[in-house]
């Protein structure tokens, strides 16, 4: 059945810094920060959370339906999605803006610094949740601020269970807005850093959140993840990657596995196990949409 993926479509410019950010930034001089990083490797990739998640879903054989907005330079991306077998019926195009652009710099420890130009993503709220009765599950992933708020309300009103995945968009929302997302959602997924911020802003522990939704998943990179259900925590072990090449899009690969499992009626622990294996497969390749999914 179709899975609705609300989020961004973007072009990623990915740069590799061969040193460590921590060795170049002086903590005592942050008030006059002025640094430059030499990046010998640079490439352009297809990205954005909706695009990356849709790619992962197609790798798993699922029916991916992005709800997203491209800019006036997005025809190439639209054609790629169609070639992958992604349902693009609800991908809008804006003639007034560029497609969203992410400039991502990664150091040798896989730390990342990202600059993001929202472009057409800022108009994503004008693209409503479609009135379809075949959508079984959805996700609210990072997108324009108004779009995330609007789509969450529309999905809840339509009775469509959805995953709340605030990701790098989390700082846009205050505690009350984040509480509203949680009250509307069926599941929450965050990494450990985002989880700490979500807990701090709402004043709710993971156990508190899990009492309001069907489950909370907190990813811990190579250490696996925590699954919170009904006040109980289950730790799902991590999966060792064959090689560590590029972390860009690992979270989206995990979320594709989560959505696929939820659509199939799996337990959250089984979903998380596949997510860990998807993340390990993704980190072994460059870019967010160039890996092959592991066997299910």
């Amino acid at each position: 059945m179709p899975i609705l993926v609300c989020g961004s479509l973007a072009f990623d410019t990915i740069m590799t810094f061969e040193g460590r950010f921590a060795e170049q930034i002086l903590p005592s001089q942050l008030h006059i920060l002025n640094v430059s990083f030499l990046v010998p490797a640079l490439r352009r990739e297809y990205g954005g959370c909706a695009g990356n998640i849709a790619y992962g879903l197609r790798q798993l054989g699922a029916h991916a339906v992005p709800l997203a907005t491209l800019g006036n330079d997005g025809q190439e991306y639209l054609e790629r999605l169609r070639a992958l077998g992604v349902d693009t019926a609800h991908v809008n195009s804006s003639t007034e803006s560029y497609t969203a652009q992410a400039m991502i710099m990664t150091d040798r420890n896989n730390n990342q610094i990202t600059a993001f130009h929202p472009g057409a993503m800022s108009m994503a709220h004008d693209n409503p949740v479609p009135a379809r009765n075949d959508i079984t599950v959805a996700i609210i992933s990072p997108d324009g601020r108004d779009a995330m708020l609007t789509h969450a309300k529309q999905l809840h009103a339509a009775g469509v269970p959805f995953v709340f995945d605030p990701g790098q968009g989390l700082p846009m929302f205050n505690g009350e807005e984040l509480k509203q997302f949680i009250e509307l959602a069926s599941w929450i997924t965050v990494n450990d850093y985002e989880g700490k911020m979500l807990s701090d802003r709402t004043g709710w522990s993971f156990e508190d959140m899990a009492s309001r939704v069907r489950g909370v998943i907190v990813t811990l990179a190579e250490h696996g993840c925590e699954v919170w259900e009904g006040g109980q925590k289950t730790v799902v072990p991590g999966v060792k990657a064959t090689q560590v090449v590029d972390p860009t899009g690992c979270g989206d690969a995990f979320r594709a596995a989560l959505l696929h499992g939820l659509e199939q009626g799996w337990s959250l622990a089984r979903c998380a196990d596949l997510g860990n294996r998807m993340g390990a497969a993704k980190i072994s390749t460059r870019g967010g949409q160039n890996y092959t999914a592991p066997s299910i």
Side-chain angles (χ1 to χ4, degrees):
M1 298 292 283
I3 298 170
L4 189 69
V5 184
C6 306
S8 62
L9 294 172
F11 291 115
D12 291 343
T13 299
I14 301 174
M15 299 159 280
T16 302
F17 173 55
E18 296 178 348
R20 296 181 175 89
F21 295 143
E23 297 171 348
Q24 305 295 319
I25 298 173
L26 302 175
S28 63
Q29 301 298 307
L30 290 178
H31 62 293
I32 53 169
L33 184 65
N34 187 356
V35 294
S36 177
F37 301 100
L38 178 65
V39 288
L42 182 149
R43 68 190 188 281
R44 194 186 196 212
E45 300 279 1
Y46 298 99
C49 294
N52 291 345
I53 294 170
Y55 175 87
L57 286 169
R58 290 301 301 141
Q59 284 284 299
L60 294 167
H63 185 169
V65 185
L67 182 69
T69 302
L70 288 166
N72 52 26
D73 56 346
Q75 186 60 33
E76 172 191 338
Y77 202 156
L78 191 63
E79 292 171 359
R80 170 182 167 77
L81 291 172
R82 289 171 177 165
L84 289 169
V86 173
D87 183 342
T88 61
H90 306 293
V91 175
N92 276 5
S93 295
S94 168
T95 59
E96 302 173 3
S97 303
Y98 290 118
T99 298
Q101 313 273 331
M103 280 65 74
I104 305 166
M105 183 164 36
T106 305
D107 75 358
R108 66 187 302 177
N109 286 351
N110 288 314
N111 297 306
Q112 291 185 320
I113 296 174
T114 301
F116 190 76
H117 169 66
M121 191 185 79
S122 298
M123 290 169 276
H125 58 279
D126 292 328
N127 190 8
V129 168
R132 295 175 53 161
N133 58 14
D134 60 343
I135 300 293
T136 56
V137 68
I139 187 169
I140 299 290
S141 63
D143 204 350
R145 171 185 159 81
D146 290 344
M148 292 178 71
L149 291 164
T150 300
H151 293 158
K153 294 174 183 175
Q154 291 173 343
L155 286 169
H156 183 74
V160 177
F162 71 89
V163 177
F164 175 46
D165 168 30
Q168 293 179 334
L170 197 154
M172 296 189 296
F173 304 103
N174 61 36
E176 290 306 310
E177 290 166 331
L178 292 168
K179 285 181 178 180
Q180 183 181 39
F181 277 118
I182 293 169
E183 296 289 359
L184 296 175
S186 298
W187 303 274
I188 303 165
T189 182
V190 287
N191 64 29
D192 50 350
Y193 182 87
E194 296 157 358
K196 179 65 166 61
M197 182 181 292
L198 182 61
S199 183
D200 286 348
R201 292 202 173 184
T202 60
W204 290 344
S205 67
F206 295 142
E207 187 173 0
D208 293 332
M209 295 179 206
S211 70
R212 292 171 165 82
V213 296
R214 300 184 197 178
V216 178
I217 304 96
V218 183
T219 59
L220 308 170
E222 71 273 17
H223 302 296
C225 62
E226 298 174 349
V227 175
W228 291 82
E229 294 178 281
Q232 300 295 316
K233 180 179 74 172
T234 301
V235 177
V236 181
V239 174
K240 185 176 178 59
T242 55
Q243 58 180 338
V244 177
V245 176
D246 178 10
T248 306
C250 283
D252 296 327
F254 182 97
R255 282 143 183 79
L258 172 63
L259 288 167
H260 173 72
L262 290 173
E263 194 276 328
Q264 293 292 311
W266 295 358
S267 70
L268 280 186
R270 184 180 176 188
C271 294
D273 177 68
L274 178 60
N276 290 340
R277 292 192 286 127
M278 284 279 281
K282 205 269 35 108
I283 204 170
S284 301
T285 62
R286 298 195 182 279
Q289 300 181 22
N290 300 310
Y291 64 96
T292 300
S295 58
I296 299 175

